[in-house]
């Protein structure tokens, strides 16, 4: 049939629209361990230096529960 589908009706926000809406709602961007303040590169890999996983090797894309970015 030639009618409209839900995909035709629902607007999927662009990446910039989504970021703007998230900021307006007070959401904070997720901090990954690779960008986090409390991780460092060790011979074994990326290591957590704070919180429950302290001393553990973590994945680069692992979520940092302490959520602070390393200052540049």
């Amino acid at each position: 049939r030639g009618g409209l589908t839900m995909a035709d009706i629902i607007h999927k926000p662009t990446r910039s629209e989504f970021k703007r809406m998230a900021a307006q709602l007070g959401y904070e961007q997720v901090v990954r361990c690779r960008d986090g303040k409390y991780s460092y590169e060790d011979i074994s890999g990326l290591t957590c230096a704070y919180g429950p996983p302290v001393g553990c090797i973590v994945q680069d894309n692992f979520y940092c529960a302490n959520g602070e970015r390393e200052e540049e």
Side-chain angles (χ1 to χ4, degrees), residues 2-68:
L4 292 175
T5 64
M6 288 302 273
D8 296 326
I9 298 168
I10 297 173
H11 169 70
K12 183 178 178 185
T14 63
R15 186 179 197 101
S16 62
E17 289 173 328
F18 184 80
K19 284 183 176 182
R20 187 179 69 246
M21 288 186 291
Q24 290 171 342
L25 292 171
Y27 289 98
E28 294 185 28
Q29 188 175 3
V30 170
V31 177
R32 302 287 176 198
C33 286
R34 66 176 171 258
D35 305 319
K37 182 176 181 179
Y38 303 113
S39 62
Y40 60 92
E41 249 336 292
D42 192 350
I43 194 165
S44 302
L46 188 63
T47 304
C48 181
Y50 185 78
V54 68
C56 294
I57 305 302
V58 294
Q59 301 275 331
D60 282 351
N61 64 351
F62 193 74
Y63 166 74
C64 180
N66 298 299
E68 292 185 48

